[in-house]
Amino acid sequence: MENGITEHDGIVESNPAVSGKQVKSLKGAQELADNNRKSAVRFKSLHLLVVGFFLWILFLHTVGIYFFTKGFLLTRLVLDDKSECLQPPLKVSHTSSFREGCWHPKQFDKAIIIIIDALRYDFTVPYQAESQHFHNTLTVLHETAVKQPHHAFLLPFIADPPTVTLQRLKGLTTGTLPTFVDAGASFSGTAIEEDNLVSQLRAANKTLVHLGDDTWHSLFPGYFDANLTHAYDSFNAWDLHTVDNGVMEHLLPLLAPEIVNRWDVLFAHFLGVDHAGHRYGPNHPAMTGKLLQMDAILRQLIEALDDQTLLVVMGDHGMDAKGDHGGESDDEVEAALWMYSKKAIFGRSKIEYVSPPATAKERAVAQIDLVPTLSLLLGLPIPFNNLGAPIEEAFIGSNEPQWQNLAIVNALTGAQIHNYQIEYAQARGLDEDATSLVQERWLKAINHWVRLRFGRHSTMTEFQATYAAFSEYQIENLRVCRSLWARFDIPNMLQGIGILLFALVSIIGFARSSSRDRANDVPVLLRNIGIGIVSGAAIGYLLNLIIPDTFGRDGVVFGAAIGGLIGNGLAMWQNRATNIINNTMTLWGWMAVVFTLSQSIGFASNSYTIWEDEILLLFLSSFAVVATVASLRQVNTTDRILGIYHSLLFLVLTRVSSLSRLCRDEQMPYCRSTYYASATSSTSATWQLLISYVVAILLPEVIKSYYQRSKSYEGSARFWIGFAFRIGLLGTAIYWTLDAADDGNWLSVNSTTLLNIRINLAQIILAVAFGAGTTTFIWAAPCIRVEVSPINGSSEAAKPNSKSMTILGYANVHGSRYFLLFSGWLLGIILVQKPMGGGVLGLLALQVLSLLEIVDTNDLSQSAIGPIVLALLGSFHFFKTGHQATPASIQWNAAFIALKTVRYPWSPILIILNTFGAQILTVIAVPLVVLWKQPPKKTGLLGDVSRAMMRHICYYTVINLATTMWAGWLRRHLMLYRIFSPRFMTGAAVLLVIDLVGALVAVGGYRWNVIAVNEVFGW
């Protein structure tokens, strides 16, 4: 006992009879209140400055990522040139008798263009072996192509990644290759400004009608007839029927005799197949239903079609085994293309080509080839920026192969491409060496054309050779364009890497400083940083005015970043006596360094990157083993037992979590997905629903047991953990049960009713998690209880009627209260995960608690190992919650867990919580490493929390810097856009999320924790 206070097992006993001096005058009480008030103001001011320092780190990371991305993501200059009907690129009138049309005789007056979103090629061809739900259902395409080869053809239709609808529609209408950034003189939102098929139709005074996906109206605003057009919201991936039903309701009536003459070209975009894939995966009865529905409507269209209308059916992309898309796997790029006409116009160059290819690996055409094909069939100029070639089957004729026609259409297309290349080379200032081989192919092709034009008797062999020459030119030109548009802006990339590197140096300097209370150094640092930012921005602005071509508008941002870094460096140098880097390294410190650096170096290997989840499993298991050995060496028996128990528990929980996995294509066949019902599904198995109920029952009880060990299950902890948190988890289990019931038609309840119930339930749970949870955390008193009892009169020190005061929960007053913030976010993030993901996050919460006990028993609150292991846990559980560093693994359905339609900013926030939920939880848990089982009066906690947070951010900064540098170094690697680029983008996104949440939620939330504790125990 010291000063009358005894502490044991989270209990403080105070004996007033033997306590220190009491305040005996009003003056003394007033002085104490004034001191407390001043201390509170001082803390709040310092805390705001610390948050500001972390936001400066966020600014540096944002600027660094921006500059690297600006140089790394490929760009294409958009030319404003338009193809004109009266200015064909070649004169061909002597070889053809034009009836109507611009560059070539048109074959059709009207066209119906059907896009079945995500129509994969193997959905359209017969399958004899053990079939899945998507096989042998949409049969009309293959059936007509085989039985009526002069009226129809079916081919694999290969998309250029990224396989997202917006980029695909751009390629399907402009004939250009996708890049991440299309740089042009003018933009109108996402509207396509360059020459394209739709604008050419409009220029030809065609009346255009659109039905379905409203993305078309973002790309082509004002192009479609307002009286006949019907657009529908495209983002609700859980809605399989609204868009399709709307299209079907208006599609066939548009073919009625009284309406058919009111339009010329009709675009109908179905979304049901794509949404069925996203919601259920392709191997699900819902996919069968949607494909049968498409089969039926296409058969009706065929019956209603006239001779002058071309019917085109295509997929804009495919889908992977889970029904997702966005990447470049074979299943994602292999779509289908089918053309049909009532008149015999199509043909094949070989008899064996009559039957459609059995797989998408044979006789495939590129999606950009659709643009010149439709343009020439409809008598339009080919859009100026087009790089595609006419599809052979559409022009070869229905009887003998018409090599003459093929030569003409390919010569026209080749000449248009050549004109585009000349203009592009001049605009970009390209040297002749870059296109020398293309020029050779062009001269060869044009020489063939000249011989044909001026020759008196051209043979079919000569026409065939001309067709082949122009095809070779188009293929070589396409190859060169890909390489030209794969040019990287190295200076911008180096600027970004430099800023990220010096930001890392600043972070390490802050985290490794020997200063006793690092928070006290922040005011000086921020003052110099502010001066540096203003000075750097001013210099950048002046340089922009003097030499704008060199610096540009980004010079101000770059100058601000560099100025801030210089200001921080000068401040650290001026206070170098207290900012000396602490070189003392323990085993735990070296483990943190090894884990971070070895993972970063490994990203240079594509196989390491692919199996990152297994590497993280190894690191976490290694930590658990070392912690077990370290605990065995503890002198204190209680610490030894607790350390061993929690180390082994941490290991077991890690191994159990590893059972949840979502395999990426590159891991097959050595990986088996368990996150969903099957590898071809994006829904949960029925048995997985039990996980949600197990979590709802057990997780609150386990958390309660940790509170009870430190006598902290008092006050708000009882209400929040024992009631609100438990009810929220139970509501989450009910939500996913209703979702499964809707998917499987278990209940005789209308699907709309179930949807409304689910959405209302989800909104209530989110309100409890983030509304009630945050309110509870901000305003709740510490999780303590004060007991007053009389002192035994036999005690020599006891005075008559004296009493003893016992404070339950004193030893963990900071940690028990701060954990309320963590549990509130845990509830909200569990809701937006599938049942398997919710179970994994429940295990993550237990791992965090075990880690805190390991840190406590081994006295590691000042070590870097705690924050680094939390970062490893966040990265590990990113994979365990059904994610990979690939665009296709993004669970877009999360946007509609609590909403019927896309609503900003809530839909993106839900997706972020789903995708980065594990990392968000672990960064919120970082202050617990310092606060767990700390008494209320410990000094320097703000500095310790800041240092721990900076170490946590350091891990993600190193990972992001490594993935950035490796992506830049390996920019010519074949796997760049499949492996290295997605990993860089994932690392960048995670870093920014961690910076923001760490500054505002974790470090920001610590403010309310301290205020609540110190209002009870004094400042």
Side-chain angles (χ1 to χ4, degrees), residues 182-198:
D182 291 339
S186 61
F187 291 91
S188 175
T190 58
I192 297 178
E193 298 291 338
E194 62 184 305
D195 199 9
N196 62 80
L197 179 63
V198 181

Side-chain angles (χ1 to χ4, degrees), residues 459-475:
T459 65
M460 287 298 105
T461 302
E462 291 173 326
F463 283 117
Q464 190 173 1
T466 303
Y467 162 53
F470 277 105
S471 294
E472 290 175 2
Y473 164 71
Q474 186 268 339
I475 292 171

